[in-house]
Amino acid sequence: QSALTQPASVSGSPGQSITISCTGTSSDVGDYNYVSWYQQHPGEAPKLLIYAVTTRPSGVSNRFSGSKSGNTASLTISGLQAEDEADYYCSSYTSSNTLVFGGGTMLTVL
Amino acid sequence: QVQLQESGPGLVKPSETLSLTCTVSGDSMSSYYWSWIRQPPGKGLEWIGFIYYSGSTSYNPSLRSRVTISIDTSKNQFSLKLTSVTAADTAIYYCARCTYGLDFHYWGQGSLVTVSS
């Protein structure tokens, strides 16, 4: 199974909105609503931001939102804050009953 | 509050077997999937596999021939064995709890395993 495709890096200024894409295939992202997004700060374990494409776990800011169109899922962060600077990973359930991660996107807050 | 804690040797010799255990506290293991994920230093996340509380498993195809995940619900633990390790298996190994959609709501703090002679 191939990793999902994410941009290596994105950047934005405080207060702006940014979107991170996550492209898979019809055997994973395109066929299941089991896409998740994780935030990882240096030296820490990843934190779940979004699951089931659009659902935020309790305690996650509503500045984070998820969507999906075809084989591509997206994470949007609105009202960018300095604390949002981190690595972001998407993942998807696959038709082989396995999981695949994206390669990760480094977000820089300018 | 659910907590997960990885334990095991931090150094493994090449060609030997890497063994880690994840101890779960704060909730029963029933009705959940339990997974191992790893992250080589400076690189991205790689899913290793999961085990359902009943014992059924699924593994990453790229690691399937070398991986075994087992569970002991009486001890609230699940374990990872990775055979024939090489330097490429050096990574932080995380255990995590997930639902059917394989979304990881709870993570351990991670355990660095270095493969070196």
Side-chain angles (χ1 to χ4, degrees):
Chain A
Q1 59 190 25
S2 299
L4 306 176
T5 301
Q6 298 181 231
S9 64
V10 298
S11 62
S13 299
Q16 287 186 332
S17 293
I18 64 97
T19 297
I20 300 172
S21 62
C22 170
T23 301
T25 69
S26 57
S27 296
D28 40 63
V29 175
D31 204 26
Y32 299 94
N33 288 324
Y34 291 135
V35 175
S36 300
W37 289 91
Y38 301 88
Q39 177 191 61
Q40 187 180 34
H41 288 109
E44 297 183 2
K47 172 189 175 183
L48 181 65
L49 291 178
I50 298 287
Y51 66 99
V53 180
T54 61
T55 305
R56 280 188 311 276
S58 174
V60 173
S61 171
N62 59 9
R63 296 187 300 105
F64 296 93
S65 62
S67 63
K68 189 185 86 167
S69 177
N71 295 340
T72 299
S74 299
L75 172 71
T76 297
I77 308 174
S78 58
L80 210 55
Q81 299 178 0
E83 67 207 49
D84 298 331
E85 187 161 291
D87 293 326
Y88 292 83
Y89 295 91
C90 63
S91 71
S92 175
Y93 180 77
T94 82
S95 59
S96 301
N97 192 34
T98 61
L99 182 92
V100 61
F101 279 106
T105 298
M106 182 170 58
L107 169 62
T108 301
V109 180
L110 303 171
Chain B
Q1 177 74 348
V2 178
Q3 293 186 318
L4 295 89
Q5 178 68 57
E6 304 89 352
S7 60
L11 182 64
V12 181
K13 290 182 169 55
S15 81
E16 296 190 344
T17 297
L18 180 159
S19 295
L20 292 172
T21 295
C22 182
T23 301
V24 180
S25 60
D27 198 1
S28 164
M29 298 190 79
S30 297
S31 303
Y32 290 104
Y33 294 78
W34 302 91
S35 201
W36 288 96
I37 301 117
R38 71 180 183 179
Q39 185 172 35
K43 296 188 178 181
L45 301 171
E46 180 180 31
W47 175 73
I48 298 171
F50 73 72
I51 187 165
Y52 192 44
Y53 79 100
S54 63
S56 61
T57 57
S58 177
Y59 301 126
N60 186 323
S62 68
L63 299 170
R64 184 173 290 142
S65 63
R66 299 193 292 132
V67 173
T68 301
I69 298 176
S70 59
I71 193 167
D72 187 340
T73 54
S74 67
K75 295 183 178 178
N76 261 32
Q77 294 178 333
F78 64 107
S79 299
L80 168 70
K81 289 191 186 302
L82 181 66
T83 62
S84 305
V85 297
T86 70
D89 294 310
T90 293
I92 297 173
Y93 285 76
Y94 295 101
C95 59
R97 189 182 91 172
C98 48
T99 64
Y100 176 75
L102 298 187
D103 35 82
F104 306 109
H105 291 248
Y106 295 97
W107 294 69
Q109 65 185 27
S111 178
L112 175 62
V113 179
T114 301
V115 178
S116 174
S117 55

